[in-house]
Amino acid sequence: MALTNIKKEEKEKIVSKDFPEYIREDIKDPGLDESIKKLTPEKIEKVINAVIGKKSSRIKAIIETCMHCGLCAEACQWYLSNDKDPTYAPVAKMRMTIWELINRKGKVDAEFIKQCARIVFTECNICHRCSMYCPFGLDITFIIGMVRRICFLLGVIPQRMFEMNQAFMATLNQVWISQNDYIDALLWREEEGAPEIKDFRIPIDKEGAEVIWFPLAAEPKSGFYHIDRIAKIMQVAGVNWTMCSKDGWDSSNMPMFIRDFVTMQRIVKGLFENTSRLRASRIVLTE
Amino acid sequence: MYDFIKDPNFYNLVRGPLVWIAFIIFIAGSIYRVKSLIDLAKKEKVIFPFINLKATLKSIFHWIIPFGSKNWRLRPVITTVTFLFHICLVFTPIFLLSHNLLWYESWGISWWTLPESIADIMTIVVIICCVFFLLRRIFDPTVNFITFSPDVIFIAICFLTFFTGFLAYHQWLLPYNIMLYLHILFGEIMLISIPLTRLTHMFYFFLTRAWMGSQFALWRTKDW
């Protein structure tokens, strides 16, 4: 097949009406396009003032210390991989989101919120590299997180992240696995591993174990072979370990990425409660 | 305007009450700014329990010396200019002979002074660095995108203070006393603007570094 024949599809470019430098391809996402139709100026102002109206010490320190020097730019992989486009610099992301929200005192339109959501959700990975490069050590990602929270409270979230968060709200794991299916997956992997190692066990709800292992939700769902591999390693290494059967076993905390504080807290609390219920002394998570 | 500045009453004003106002606003304002930020931080329960003194000092140390951190080493030109600018900006006014004389005449106190020729060179360095920063704001697209009017005004305040001081010392361009009055006036504007604007970064530097240094210590890595 001749690869040269495949034409790269030229997508329509849109220019931001607030910032002429901000030119991006038009990408349709129901999470952004549909949800901004429900927004009203009052609602937007109320949410923005609730989150950043009374500036907390961290927001204050960041906004009032930043000297607009642009030294954080080189840290950002988005900036470097987009030919040093000024609009991808970490400080430019602050300039296009929170500085405007503060300067306009929350009086922005729905289109601006959509643009903010696009910047903070799809053009920043919250990796903290910019903080390592900033001479003042300003936590730019904290600001990005605050803007994500504003977008979350307004319901303007990329659809995929929104659905993932719904899964967490309902089942405390990101792939809609029920407790039955989860236990079933663990027992099945124990069966699968049994022919290879003598007395192979995946201990479930063993009290007083040294290590409790919380997998990622993708492991029982699609990467199930990880479970018996980890179990084999634990067994051969002679670790006194266990897994947990109750909900609150998924260690991936996706609600953190949209700053849904309630669900974030439920997940972490679930892990710690399961650990203390089983009196395990160490938590091991899949990274 | 020219007559207004030439008037001896103007000298009495900038040399008398305005100096007091400037220093009171500078000192009291700075203390207030730092204290209010720390008080605000105490309200957020997640800040003070995580402050790690050792990591804070390490972080400040690595960023306050030239080429002490990764980003300083990656950008030698900016690093050199920034450090020259800030060192000259802070130390020239404090250790200048004529400033010291003013302190001695008023309060009878004095401390070490810089040789006049070195002070002159340091002043020129500040002026050149100001021009460099201004050109960078105009021609670097990344920095240009985030430049607001205050950023240019900060540079202008520094530039005018040091430039008028330099011209007054050499008695160029305008008559000496007029240049001197302007120099004093701009110096007072600079002192007043430190606590009132983002120039507070000279104090907030230590606080923000304390937070980020402690954060990175928590993540078992370093932020320099």
Side-chain angles (χ1 to χ4, degrees):
Chain A
M1 193 174 80
L3 286 170
T4 47
N5 289 347
I6 299 170
K7 272 188 189 164
K8 202 185 168 196
E9 202 180 322
E10 282 287 319
K11 281 188 182 158
E12 194 191 342
K13 298 263 183 190
I14 41 168
V15 182
S16 159
K17 68 178 194 304
D18 304 279
F19 312 104
E21 292 92 344
Y22 189 80
I23 303 163
R24 296 286 188 272
E25 283 176 355
D26 191 16
I27 294 172
K28 299 273 178 262
D29 187 319
L32 304 182
D33 297 326
E34 300 301 319
S35 57
I36 60 163
K37 288 175 189 163
K38 297 172 206 154
L39 297 179
T40 58
E42 297 81 42
K43 206 170 160 185
I44 294 171
E45 200 181 337
K46 196 178 161 197
V47 166
I48 291 172
N49 287 332
V51 178
I52 56 169
K54 208 178 166 191
K55 285 188 218 160
S56 72
S57 61
R58 274 183 284 176
I59 296 180
K60 215 172 147 73
I62 294 166
I63 300 294
E64 293 178 2
T65 311
C66 179
M67 286 307 287
H68 309 181
C69 66
L71 286 178
C72 51
E74 298 278 322
C76 188
Q77 71 265 32
W78 285 93
Y79 177 79
L80 293 176
S81 59
N82 282 292
D83 300 329
K84 306 202 171 181
D85 181 342
T87 53
Y88 281 104
V91 65
K93 288 167 200 164
M94 288 215 292
R95 184 234 188 285
M96 290 188 287
T97 57
I98 195 138
W99 294 358
E100 287 298 315
L101 296 180
I102 289 175
N103 286 346
R104 299 189 199 174
K105 297 191 174 64
K107 290 183 179 58
V108 294
D109 55 3
E111 203 57 39
F112 187 85
I113 292 292
K114 183 187 160 189
Q115 184 183 302
C116 281
R118 179 164 183 169
I119 293 166
V120 295
F121 284 116
T122 70
E123 292 168 12
C124 173
N125 300 68
I126 310 215
C127 69
H128 278 99
R129 252 172 75 95
C130 39
S131 307
M132 297 175 93
Y133 279 62
C134 175
F136 297 102
L138 299 179
D139 201 347
I140 295 170
T141 49
F142 175 74
I143 294 290
I144 301 283
M146 277 293 126
V147 181
R148 284 191 181 191
R149 176 147 179 86
I150 290 170
C151 294
F152 161 69
L153 290 175
L154 288 168
V156 185
I157 319 166
Q159 190 64 21
R160 182 181 145 75
M161 288 173 127
F162 179 68
E163 280 168 6
M164 216 180 248
N165 204 48
Q166 281 186 320
F168 271 106
M169 284 173 180
T171 62
L172 281 184
N173 64 65
Q174 60 167 305
V175 287
W176 295 101
I177 294 188
S178 68
Q179 194 189 359
N180 297 348
D181 290 344
Y182 174 62
I183 295 172
D184 201 40
L186 296 187
L187 294 175
W188 167 47
R189 290 327 291 176
E190 190 179 69
E191 267 174 43
E192 290 289 316
E196 294 179 36
I197 289 185
K198 199 183 171 194
D199 296 334
F200 181 67
R201 300 283 297 160
I202 295 182
I204 299 173
D205 282 350
K206 184 165 90 179
E207 289 198 13
E210 193 205 342
V211 167
I212 183 162
W213 175 48
F214 293 116
L216 286 181
E219 285 171 319
K221 178 93 172 182
S222 51
F224 31 77
Y225 41 86
H226 285 180
I227 292 174
D228 43 306
R229 280 179 195 165
I230 292 278
K232 281 172 198 162
I233 291 169
M234 294 281 199
Q235 180 141 348
V236 173
V239 179
N240 181 13
W241 73 292
T242 182
M243 290 183 78
C244 165
S245 69
K246 288 207 171 178
D247 275 343
W249 49 264
D250 180 4
S251 61
S252 63
N253 199 339
M254 295 300 168
M256 186 183 75
F257 293 114
I258 60 171
R259 295 297 193 267
D260 175 358
F261 291 160
V262 175
T263 316
M264 262 164 83
Q265 199 181 350
R266 276 178 65 207
I267 292 165
V268 177
K269 223 171 167 180
L271 296 183
F272 276 93
E273 271 169 6
N274 280 333
T275 310
S276 70
R277 180 173 58 83
L278 298 176
R279 302 198 309 279
S281 49
R282 261 197 209 172
I283 297 177
V284 174
L285 308 177
T286 305
E287 171 56 45
Chain B
M1 187 67 193
Y2 190 74
D3 289 334
F4 176 71
I5 294 173
K6 220 166 60 178
D7 192 345
N9 286 329
F10 184 74
Y11 177 75
N12 289 337
L13 181 73
V14 293
R15 180 73 177 89
L18 269 183
V19 178
W20 278 103
I21 292 171
F23 271 95
I24 287 170
I25 291 180
F26 169 60
I27 294 169
S30 303
I31 292 170
Y32 170 76
R33 284 297 292 273
V34 172
K35 193 177 177 305
S36 67
L37 189 71
I38 291 174
D39 284 350
L40 207 57
K42 277 179 188 158
K43 281 185 198 158
E44 266 184 278
K45 287 174 190 155
V46 292
I47 294 182
F48 272 92
F50 293 102
I51 294 291
N52 177 338
L53 189 65
K54 201 177 147 199
T56 301
L57 293 176
K58 269 182 168 175
S59 171
I60 291 173
F61 175 74
H62 278 276
W63 280 92
I64 215 163
I65 57 169
F67 302 100
S69 63
K70 180 80 179 164
N71 206 14
W72 288 149
R73 286 193 290 274
L74 283 176
R75 306 247 191 129
V77 178
I78 297 273
T79 309
T80 315
V81 174
T82 305
F83 275 93
L84 280 177
F85 173 74
H86 283 94
I87 289 169
C88 296
L89 182 74
V90 173
F91 291 109
T92 316
I94 296 177
F95 295 111
L96 192 76
L97 180 64
S98 12
H99 290 180
N100 248 302
L101 274 174
L102 286 176
W103 285 106
Y104 187 73
E105 278 173 16
S106 309
W107 289 10
I109 51 170
S110 72
W111 48 83
W112 313 279
T113 56
L114 287 167
E116 297 248 294
S117 55
I118 292 183
D120 211 31
I121 293 168
M122 285 168 85
T123 310
I124 297 171
V125 167
V126 172
I127 293 168
I128 294 171
C129 292
C130 281
V131 174
F132 173 85
F133 285 139
L134 188 69
L135 293 178
R136 184 166 174 266
R137 287 230 171 266
I138 296 168
F139 292 110
D140 187 328
T142 308
V143 188
N144 191 15
F145 184 60
I146 48 170
T147 297
F148 285 68
S149 48
D151 302 313
V152 181
I153 293 170
F154 295 151
I155 296 176
I157 291 174
C158 288
F159 177 81
L160 287 172
T161 309
F162 278 77
F163 193 59
T164 49
F166 178 73
L167 290 181
Y169 175 71
H170 291 280
Q171 311 201 0
W172 289 344
L173 209 66
L174 288 178
Y176 172 69
N177 51 352
I178 292 178
M179 214 37 133
L180 185 70
Y181 302 165
L182 285 175
H183 171 66
I184 297 173
L185 188 67
F186 283 124
E188 281 155 1
I189 291 174
M190 180 146 85
L191 276 182
I192 292 172
S193 57
I194 286 173
L196 301 182
T197 63
R198 278 188 280 120
L199 293 179
T200 331
H201 71 274
M202 69 183 278
F203 305 112
Y204 280 9
F205 169 82
F206 300 97
L207 302 177
T208 52
R209 277 251 78 90
W211 168 246
M212 216 57 218
S214 309
Q215 281 285 293
F216 275 81
L218 203 68
W219 301 329
R220 306 284 160 84
T221 178
K222 50 189 189 178
D223 65 338
W224 54 82

